Amino acid sequence: MMEDKKLLSIYFTAGYPALDDTVKIIQDLEKNGVDMIEIGLPFSDPLADGPTIQKSSTAALKNGMTTEILFEQLKDIRKSVSIPLIIMGYFNPMLQYGVEAFCKKCQEIGIDGLIIPDLPVDVYHEEYQAIFEKYGLINVFLITPRLRKNVFGLSIAFRTDSSIWSVRPVLPGLNSVLVMSNKTIFNALLHFRSRTLKLLASVSVIPKRSIKPPRAPKVLLSVRPLLNI
Amino acid sequence: MKSYHANEKGYYGEFGGAFIPEMLYPNCEELRQNYIRIMEEPSFKKEFDQLLKDYVGRPTPLYFAKRLSKKYGTKIYLKREDLCHTGAHKVNNTIGQILMAKKLGKNRIIAETGAGQHGVATATVCALMGIDCVVYMGEIDIARQAPNVARMKMLGAEVRPALSGSRTLKDATNEAIRDWINNPVDTHYIIGSVVGPHPYPDMVARFQSVISEEIKWQLKEKEGRENPDYVVACVGGGSNAAGAYYHYLNTPEVGIIAVEAAGKGVNSGESAATSALGKVGIIHGSKTLLMQTQDGQITEPYSISAGLDYPGVGPMHAHLFKSGRGEFISITDDEAMTAGLEISQLEGIIPAIETSHAFAIFNHKKFKEDDVIVINLSGRGDKDLQTYIDYFKL
Ligand SMILES: Cc1ncc(COP(=O)(O)O)c(C=O)c1O
């Protein structure tokens, strides 16, 4: 059942190159065999991203992209697209929209999860996890070459009943990890330590909630220009 | 008793914390676990105090401004941070952080700068210690602040233009953070104000706290009491203010006055008055008050003084504002420039334009005759001469 097929996840910035390209890009990506899409909600100061995403984000904002407009564009996306959709954005726009309102909207649209690089694990756990869960959204964390040990400890503590991406064979009890990185970090990860290597080698992603089996990714390696190293 | 200091998680009330990507976690964690311990080590203290004394020129005088006091009918003292080496309070922090970096075994320093004051202060301590230094500066600021760019280069630093976004201070900060993400092991990031993720606001405030530590004994000598009625400081990110308030934060009888830049007017659309215009949000890893669009995009502030031209404010100050502990006054470009000219001619001191804002409060707030007011004179005006020249057609 856990076949080791590599899946392709693609990131793009919503509102770029043109404001209304969002839906077409998503549909084209799915048509061309992409397994999962990260829809980038542009932010003025994307400090976990490199110059490429900074540029596309600046351009998208200039084009007039807003949280409201993105949700409007995505309103009917589930009529034509069935692969997992993740919104990747920074915490401040979400905070201003209202975290609960944001999550609710995501659920209505059929968004599967969120990647918010500047929402740290502990804050998520203490303040927002309940909201994410209420709306069936997965929260995706980043793994880095200098992975902190206790991320896993923490993960085990609070993700067991809520999660999405399952890494069961490697770390018992931990069942939500998504590995995302650019090539350099990815390579560093491979060489990093045997534990990580093992983790990567046997990442098997098993859907739990919103992602139905037909579009469930098996092995997920999200490659995006996280940083220009 | 109510405390206005950071708690162990770096929160000042609801503000602060560390909203950072996982990639930065190890860097901040290393600092967080060590900064207080290192600062309290006798060998660290000794070297820090020695450098502040022999290299920076501390203690800086607390000067009774006789003519200014007479004009406004109250007792005004000036804390002369403008007499620090490199011309502003910024160096108190860079001395502290370079020693911290050495203790942590770092051999490369990065920093962000707007006007260039913090960049110069960082380049200076790197030269002093023989450590490589890269300063990120917005492309637009590089053009505006040519003399400070030259100073940094002369001190041996590399000045890297921030080409993204609006190409000013906030973008320089983004670039510095990206550099740190990419060089997590050997590099220390010297942030220039009480902003950024925990533990920076608290660490920088502690390094700057030497200002109020000195004010206490100096005022005791001059007035027979440690506590003034008011401490006044301009607030960009808030480091000179944090230093001037530090030992008075939990002393309610000392009034705290924070002066922000209103630019062309708080409601002109060209302002940097964060307390008036900001909403709670996240900037550079800290939850604080920040100027932003309704949609949560960070906006570009404006002030004639580059050092106050930051869309956020340190979490300590957000808390002082929200809790009512601090009184916030915004001062326009014109008011600041007029006050800068006035203090030059009344006291023979040409202040930095940032500081000039603090001198403009007297038209906004009346003081009693026997009130004792300490204004933190955060920097000297040499760097701003061209702006003064253009403004007054000197
Ligand atoms: C003389 C002077 N005062 C004040 C500031 C504002 O910074 P902060 O609010 O951190 O003291 C600057 C910043 O460049 C400065 O150079």
Side-chain angles (χ1 to χ4, degrees):
Chain A
M1 181 202 136
M2 290 190 192
E3 123 206 25
D4 200 19
K5 181 197 165 235
K6 300 265 191 297
L7 301 185
L8 178 62
S9 171
I10 296 281
Y11 167 92
F12 79 100
T13 302
Y16 178 84
L19 180 63
D20 293 322
D21 286 341
T22 314
V23 171
K24 181 155 174 21
I25 288 174
I26 294 172
Q27 290 170 340
D28 286 353
L29 286 173
E30 183 176 47
K31 261 184 224 140
N32 285 284
V34 169
D35 299 291
M36 184 183 102
I37 299 170
E38 281 176 42
I39 304 164
L41 174 62
F43 181 50
S44 53
D45 297 77
L47 49 76
D49 289 293
T52 309
I53 290 179
Q54 170 87 60
K55 262 190 207 147
S56 60
S57 300
T58 306
L61 291 172
K62 241 197 206 128
N63 289 342
M65 183 51 87
T66 65
T67 310
E68 200 78 63
I69 290 176
L70 178 62
F71 284 148
E72 186 58 30
Q73 291 173 344
L74 294 177
K75 191 172 65 186
D76 295 322
I77 197 72
R78 281 306 178 199
K79 288 186 183 152
S80 59
V81 173
S82 65
I83 57 173
L85 298 176
I86 302 270
I87 289 185
M88 189 273 174
Y90 286 77
F91 192 43
N92 198 50
M94 192 175 168
L95 203 59
Q96 303 313 318
Y97 193 89
V99 175
E100 175 138 19
F102 194 100
C103 290
K104 186 161 181 277
K105 202 82 194 176
C106 286
Q107 186 190 43
E108 283 166 21
I109 290 168
I111 295 295
D112 297 289
L114 300 172
I115 300 173
I116 308 152
D118 57 345
L119 175 59
V121 175
D122 45 349
V123 179
Y124 169 71
H125 179 38
E126 280 163 32
E127 297 180 40
Y128 301 109
Q129 188 184 356
I131 300 176
F132 276 57
E133 285 179 0
K134 181 172 166 194
Y135 296 100
L137 290 169
I138 65 175
N139 188 19
V140 177
F141 293 98
L142 277 62
I143 291 181
T144 76
R146 298 176 79 217
L147 194 63
R148 50 170 152 157
K149 282 187 214 95
N150 69 359
V151 158
F152 286 111
L154 209 52
S155 302
I156 294 164
F158 74 86
R159 287 189 206 155
T160 42
D161 61 336
S162 72
S163 69
I164 319 89
W165 315 114
S166 182
V167 206
R168 254 177 248 138
V170 189
L171 296 168
L174 166 65
N175 61 1
S176 83
V177 160
L178 174 80
V179 178
M180 46 178 307
S181 82
N182 74 350
K183 273 216 183 81
T184 311
I185 289 188
F186 180 69
N187 289 335
L189 262 174
L190 284 180
H191 293 124
F192 176 48
R193 53 167 99 138
S194 55
R195 193 178 73 145
T196 315
L197 183 64
K198 223 167 86 193
L199 177 72
L200 267 182
S202 52
V203 172
S204 296
V205 184
I206 298 171
K208 193 175 163 199
R209 268 192 200 177
S210 53
I211 303 170
K212 294 184 185 63
R215 52 187 170 95
K218 288 286 192 289
V219 174
L220 188 64
L221 299 176
S222 172
V223 181
R224 56 190 283 271
L226 194 61
L227 286 171
N228 260 30
I229 299 180
Chain B
M1 193 187 65
K2 214 171 152 124
S3 174
Y4 293 92
H5 291 282
N7 70 16
E8 71 285 356
K9 284 186 158 180
Y11 277 90
Y12 299 83
E14 66 177 291
F15 302 106
F19 291 80
I20 45 170
E22 186 64 26
M23 296 86 91
L24 270 185
Y25 182 87
N27 310 38
C28 290
E29 185 59 12
E30 181 183 30
L31 257 188
R32 191 189 67 77
Q33 282 179 2
N34 293 298
Y35 80 110
I36 292 178
R37 176 184 60 76
I38 290 176
M39 286 175 87
E40 285 172 356
E41 273 174 18
S43 65
F44 182 93
K45 273 191 172 153
K46 187 163 168 240
E47 202 176 355
F48 182 56
D49 291 346
Q50 195 76 44
L51 282 170
L52 287 187
K53 179 164 176 277
D54 298 336
Y55 188 72
V56 173
R58 302 204 75 91
T60 59
L62 183 70
Y63 161 73
F64 178 65
K66 207 161 141 198
R67 296 187 67 209
L68 187 68
S69 297
K70 184 147 181 268
K71 169 144 195 196
Y72 291 106
T74 189
K75 277 176 137 171
I76 304 167
Y77 284 87
L78 308 182
K79 181 60 175 162
R80 299 290 308 272
E81 294 301 297
D82 59 317
L83 296 177
C84 288
H85 179 45
T86 71
H89 68 290
K90 295 280 179 191
V91 73
N92 302 326
N93 170 43
T94 60
I95 292 271
Q97 286 205 49
I98 197 82
L99 295 177
M100 180 72 60
K102 272 182 37 177
K103 289 272 184 191
L104 293 171
K106 308 291 177 179
N107 56 25
R108 178 175 177 269
I109 294 295
I110 53 171
E112 86 295 337
T113 197
Q117 282 308 106
H118 173 60
V120 167
T122 304
T124 298
V125 298
C126 287
L128 180 68
M129 298 293 169
I131 294 182
D132 286 349
C133 179
V134 174
V135 179
Y136 288 90
M137 190 168 184
E139 196 182 27
I140 289 181
D141 290 333
I142 288 180
R144 287 199 287 206
Q145 310 287 336
N148 272 345
V149 176
R151 285 168 87 191
M152 287 184 267
K153 287 184 178 164
M154 195 155 169
L155 291 160
E158 180 191 341
V159 180
R160 283 194 197 158
L163 306 170
S164 67
S166 49
R167 294 171 291 147
T168 57
L169 177 58
K170 94 181 159 64
D171 309 283
T173 308
N174 293 341
E175 293 300 336
I177 290 174
R178 286 177 184 137
D179 182 311
W180 208 24
I181 289 173
N182 287 328
N183 299 285
V185 181
D186 66 335
T187 298
H188 175 72
Y189 175 20
I190 300 190
I191 292 186
S193 193
V194 287
V195 300
H198 180 57
Y200 277 103
D202 186 47
M203 179 172 71
V204 176
R206 284 170 189 251
F207 285 138
Q208 292 291 0
S209 71
V210 63
I211 298 172
S212 50
E213 193 182 306
E214 289 174 3
I215 294 173
K216 280 187 117 170
W217 63 257
Q218 290 171 320
L219 201 62
K220 177 94 182 169
E221 274 181 15
K222 293 186 196 302
E223 288 286 326
R225 55 168 164 141
E226 288 186 337
N227 297 340
D229 294 292
Y230 297 93
V231 192
V232 182
C234 64
V235 173
S239 66
N240 88 85
Y245 306 156
Y246 196 88
H247 291 280
Y248 298 118
L249 284 170
N250 296 339
T251 311
E253 53 280 22
V254 178
I256 283 175
I257 299 179
V259 185
E260 290 184 310
K264 295 185 176 163
V266 171
N267 298 314
S268 66
E270 292 184 74
S271 177
T274 308
S275 70
L277 300 169
K279 279 187 304 180
V280 179
I282 312 272
I283 182 170
H284 298 137
S286 181
K287 188 178 208 180
T288 187
L289 290 172
L290 96 103
M291 291 168 56
Q292 52 186 316
T293 65
Q294 204 178 346
D295 211 37
Q297 308 296 342
I298 298 172
T299 50
E300 263 311 296
Y302 163 82
S303 163
I304 193 167
S305 85
L308 302 184
D309 208 350
Y310 185 69
V313 63
M316 172 198 283
H317 302 292
H319 182 51
L320 291 174
F321 176 73
K322 194 83 181 271
S323 65
R325 172 71 183 94
E327 181 178 351
F328 282 64
I329 296 176
S330 5
I331 295 297
T332 63
D333 287 356
D334 291 337
E335 291 174 301
M337 295 305 272
T338 305
L341 188 64
E342 180 180 88
I343 189 75
S344 301
Q345 297 181 357
L346 280 178
E347 297 292 345
I349 299 169
I350 301 175
I353 298 175
E354 289 82 6
T355 318
S356 294
H357 286 72
F359 284 111
I361 60 165
F362 296 102
N363 297 323
H364 291 257
K365 188 172 168 71
K366 295 281 165 263
F367 296 95
K368 296 203 287 281
E369 211 175 308
D370 59 351
D371 276 345
V372 171
I373 296 152
V374 175
I375 298 181
N376 196 32
L377 213 173
S378 59
R380 66 178 90 124
D382 306 27
K383 70 182 176 65
D384 296 318
L385 221 47
Q386 194 56 50
T387 313
Y388 282 128
I389 290 168
D390 293 345
Y391 186 88
F392 291 113
K393 316 229 169 349
L394 298 171

